[in-house]
Amino acid sequence: MTDLNLIITTLTAEEQQQFVLYLKKKNKRSDIKNIQLFKLLQQNDLSSTEICLQLYQTNKKNAYHALRKRLHNSLIDFIANINLEEENSVDMQIIKYILASRSFLHNKQYKLAYKILDKAEVLAETHYLFAILNEIYHTKIQYAYAIPDIHINSIISKFKINQKNLLLEDQLNIVYAKMRQTLNNITYKGDVIDIETLLKNTLQDHQINITESLSFKSLYQLITLVSIPAFVTNDYLKTEPFIIKTYAILKTHKSASKQLYYHIEVLFLIANTLFRNKKFNDSLHYLKQMEAQMLANKSKYYNAFKLKHQFLLALNTNYTNQQNKAIGILEQHINSKHNDIDSLLKIHLGLSTFYIQAGRFKEAQQIFSKFYHTDNYYESKAGKDWVIKKNLIEIILHIELNNINLVESRLLSFKRNYFKYLKQINQHRAITYLSFIELYYKDPSQLLTDKFKEKVQSSFEWVGKEKEDIFVMSFYAWLKSKMEKKPLYQTTLEMVQLAKEN
């Protein structure tokens, strides 16, 4: 997907219509090839050569590339303009106040200028705009000499407090950037890192106190930072109280309506945390709030979050004994084209898992037939954890389909590619689990013996049903269903329900 295609996918249907009107007003001549190009790119199913031929009837590469560049610039201008109009009205109003006040100061209308600066200060404080407040205090201090009764020390005191807030916000932004980069290295490169210790040390190094009052964006970053260790360790119980408590502050924040994108991100993080803690009804409650925010501001961010929302909705639905409904949710998106490749891959793997739980193995196999890229490619798009799950699910699927030769080759490949990594991250349970799968496929009858069942029970190191990862439980449920000769989906739900009750 080219940059132009990616930019177009970020626009809502209404914004795309507005952009066409914008081009019509901008065009100075009857040539409307920029509009034609835009409409062809909206289809997202033609190659550059095909589009060029439709526009010019011949392969005019230079003219086509020049047209693409003009359209790209027009899109950037259009997006900048609508964001200035829709999202930064408060910022722009304050900036106008500052510019007007400076004009009055230059004309020695000092009292009038300070009245306007006072208005700007109140607005900036209300919306935690520390950088703009810095400019306001700087201007007030600069011209304080002109008004004899002004309390300059009071302004200097406010200025110093604001500088601390601004530094804290900048420091938190640095920590956030470092931790997200580390998370990417863990997810997509398989780095082995003690993430909790790293977060604690990084916050201390930058002297950040996570209890301080912060801007909306900083509160979002804090929630994300605290969620990162849970993402890596699968221990979501630790983080749940903090993110729920912090969201209670965040949702009443003065900048909530302005920071719609971050608001949706936070709601997704909370819904995901609650799902991982097996609190499905609570997770669904936050998913409803998330959808409401996705529909806000003329559905500005609906498309950006649609797949993430639908995947988590399907997971909650599946684990609340609504298997067919969950399958239906994901089937709607199985042939979707979207730039959120990570969510698309999760939807494909999730649906294949639901099919296996339902005993619909041929349909699951059809999905796996579409995974024709290498594991390295999928690691770069969805992460190492996704690839490991894909390989384990594929082995289970081939056992169910009685593809014995494929089971053997997949087992050898998995051992060769992932055993060392699993040992490094202390996921010995996955290695143990695979050994039992191997024993089962070589001799299925032994699973029914008491000796085998006792061996399975004594070999796994459980972390407690309440804390146990729901996906780990789902994998184990397959083995348990074979030992107890019960349907997989029923076994899975019983295990999850038992964990919820404890």
Side-chain angles (χ1 to χ4, degrees):
M1 190 177 283
T2 65
D3 287 350
L4 263 178
N5 292 97
L6 283 171
I7 292 170
I8 291 168
T9 61
T10 66
L11 299 176
T12 64
E14 185 178 342
E15 286 170 346
Q16 289 180 10
Q17 292 174 358
Q18 290 174 355
F19 180 63
V20 171
L21 293 174
Y22 171 80
L23 289 178
K24 285 179 180 177
K25 290 178 182 178
K26 190 177 179 183
N27 289 344
K28 295 180 180 179
R29 52 185 180 174
S30 58
D31 181 14
I32 56 168
K33 280 191 166 50
N34 54 359
I35 296 174
Q36 291 173 347
L37 173 59
F38 178 72
K39 289 182 176 179
L40 288 169
L41 289 168
Q42 279 179 300
Q43 299 171 26
N44 197 24
D45 57 2
L46 296 173
S47 67
S48 290
T49 303
E50 289 170 328
I51 293 174
C52 184
L53 289 172
Q54 285 210 31
L55 289 169
Y56 299 103
Q57 284 70 56
T58 58
N59 197 12
K60 292 184 178 179
K61 287 186 178 179
N62 291 338
Y64 175 62
H65 286 301
L67 179 64
R68 285 179 66 91
K69 187 175 180 181
R70 290 198 301 275
L71 182 64
H72 180 275
N73 292 339
S74 295
L75 275 164
I76 297 300
D77 289 343
F78 173 76
I79 291 168
N81 287 336
I82 61 173
N83 278 282
L84 278 172
E85 291 171 9
E86 293 174 6
E87 293 190 6
N88 297 323
S89 56
V90 173
D91 304 55
M92 292 304 295
Q93 184 60 56
I94 298 170
I95 290 168
K96 286 176 184 176
Y97 281 152
I98 295 171
L99 291 173
S101 69
R102 285 177 179 169
S103 175
F104 292 127
L105 288 167
H106 293 155
N107 288 298
K108 299 185 179 180
Q109 299 293 324
Y110 300 117
K111 287 192 176 180
L112 177 57
Y114 269 72
K115 282 183 181 178
I116 295 170
L117 284 172
D118 287 342
K119 287 182 179 180
E121 182 182 347
V122 170
L123 264 179
E125 280 183 335
T126 302
H127 291 87
Y128 300 85
L129 301 173
F130 304 127
I132 296 177
L133 268 171
N134 211 54
E135 287 297 311
I136 293 167
Y137 293 133
H138 181 90
T139 304
K140 279 190 167 185
I141 291 167
Q142 182 181 353
Y143 289 93
Y145 70 88
I147 303 176
D149 58 347
I150 203 163
H151 299 288
I152 189 169
N153 288 333
S154 174
I155 300 172
I156 292 169
S157 177
K158 286 182 179 181
F159 177 64
K160 288 180 177 179
I161 292 169
N162 184 69
Q163 279 189 316
K164 287 181 181 178
N165 288 330
L166 181 59
L167 178 62
L168 176 63
E169 190 172 59
D170 287 341
Q171 293 286 73
L172 183 58
N173 194 49
I174 291 167
V175 173
Y176 174 80
K178 286 181 177 179
M179 293 301 296
R180 287 304 296 257
Q181 187 177 52
T182 301
L183 178 60
N184 281 349
N185 290 339
I186 293 170
T187 304
Y188 300 109
K189 296 181 181 179
D191 286 3
V192 180
I193 296 165
D194 182 351
I195 195 76
E196 291 189 67
T197 302
L198 179 64
L199 175 58
K200 182 181 177 181
N201 292 342
T202 308
L203 288 170
Q204 286 176 351
D205 289 345
H206 291 269
Q207 298 179 326
I208 292 174
N209 181 356
I210 61 175
T211 63
E212 295 203 35
S213 178
L214 295 161
S215 66
F216 189 102
K217 180 183 174 183
S218 295
L219 286 168
Y220 154 74
Q221 288 178 326
L222 263 181
I223 289 174
T224 306
L225 284 171
V226 171
S227 300
I228 287 173
F231 179 85
V232 175
T233 64
N234 291 329
D235 185 359
Y236 288 84
L237 282 172
K238 281 184 186 176
T239 63
E240 183 188 318
F242 176 83
I243 62 174
I244 297 289
K245 182 181 177 181
T246 307
Y247 179 65
I249 301 167
L250 191 141
K251 68 181 178 181
T252 59
H253 202 283
K254 295 286 184 181
S255 301
S257 60
K258 180 184 165 188
Q259 302 286 358
L260 187 57
Y261 184 91
Y262 295 129
H263 196 164
I264 298 168
E265 283 274 22
V266 168
L267 287 167
F268 177 78
L269 278 172
I270 296 171
N272 185 58
T273 297
L274 291 166
F275 164 73
R276 298 300 290 265
N277 289 337
K278 308 169 198 74
K279 298 178 180 179
F280 306 122
N281 290 332
D282 292 339
S283 178
L284 288 166
H285 169 73
Y286 280 96
L287 279 174
K288 282 184 181 178
Q289 291 190 47
M290 178 184 175
E291 186 176 31
Q293 295 300 323
M294 287 162 62
L295 292 168
N297 198 3
K298 300 177 181 177
S299 303
K300 183 173 181 63
Y301 296 113
Y302 185 84
N303 192 51
F305 288 95
K306 177 177 67 176
L307 295 185
K308 290 173 76 171
H309 175 274
Q310 290 288 283
F311 178 61
L312 190 51
L313 176 64
L315 286 174
N316 277 287
T317 305
N318 186 63
Y319 286 96
T320 50
N321 199 14
Q322 301 173 79
Q323 187 181 60
N324 291 333
K325 185 179 178 182
I327 288 171
I329 291 169
L330 295 191
E331 283 179 334
Q332 295 177 66
H333 306 288
I334 203 68
N335 296 314
S336 297
K337 290 183 178 180
H338 203 284
N339 60 319
D340 185 0
I341 304 299
D342 178 71
S343 292
L344 274 177
L345 288 171
K346 285 176 179 173
I347 284 171
H348 278 74
L349 194 60
L351 183 57
S352 69
T353 304
F354 293 173
Y355 282 149
I356 291 170
Q357 289 176 339
R360 294 162 64 175
F361 306 121
K362 291 290 183 183
E363 287 161 284
Q365 188 179 35
Q366 287 175 4
I367 293 177
F368 268 89
S369 68
K370 297 175 183 178
F371 295 142
Y372 47 80
H373 291 291
T374 65
D375 279 1
N376 285 337
Y377 168 84
Y378 288 120
E379 278 186 33
S380 70
K381 299 298 180 184
K384 210 174 190 79
D385 185 57
W386 183 93
V387 173
I388 288 172
K389 286 176 183 173
K390 178 187 82 75
N391 281 281
L392 284 173
I393 292 167
E394 186 178 18
I395 291 167
I396 288 170
L397 178 60
H398 285 310
I399 291 173
E400 295 287 9
L401 292 168
N402 204 29
N403 296 331
I404 301 303
N405 291 335
L406 287 173
V407 173
E408 187 69 41
S409 66
R410 297 296 190 274
L411 279 168
L412 288 171
S413 175
F414 190 89
K415 290 177 185 178
R416 182 173 59 251
N417 294 327
Y418 299 108
F419 266 29
K420 183 180 178 182
Y421 171 73
L422 288 168
K423 289 174 182 176
Q424 285 179 321
I425 63 171
N426 294 318
Q427 282 295 337
H428 298 284
R429 293 189 305 176
I431 296 170
T432 304
Y433 178 76
L434 203 69
S435 70
F436 286 121
I437 288 179
E438 191 169 7
L439 286 171
Y440 168 71
Y441 104 87
K442 287 179 177 177
D443 182 10
S445 63
Q446 65 180 306
L447 255 74
L448 303 176
T449 65
D450 291 337
K451 184 179 178 182
F452 186 89
K453 292 176 184 177
E454 288 170 9
K455 188 177 180 181
V456 170
Q457 287 294 332
S458 62
S459 297
F460 280 99
E461 294 180 14
W462 300 103
V463 295
K465 290 184 175 68
E466 188 181 23
K467 289 176 67 177
E468 190 57 75
D469 180 62
I470 192 167
F471 296 125
V472 171
M473 294 178 75
S474 299
F475 275 108
Y476 178 73
W478 180 81
L479 196 61
K480 190 178 183 190
S481 72
K482 298 299 180 187
M483 291 190 291
E484 297 180 355
K485 297 188 75 173
K486 289 169 62 176
L488 172 57
Y489 188 58
Q490 179 189 340
T491 305
T492 305
L493 293 184
E494 285 174 358
M495 285 189 67
V496 172
Q497 184 59 38
L498 186 63
K500 286 175 66 179
E501 291 171 358
N502 287 353

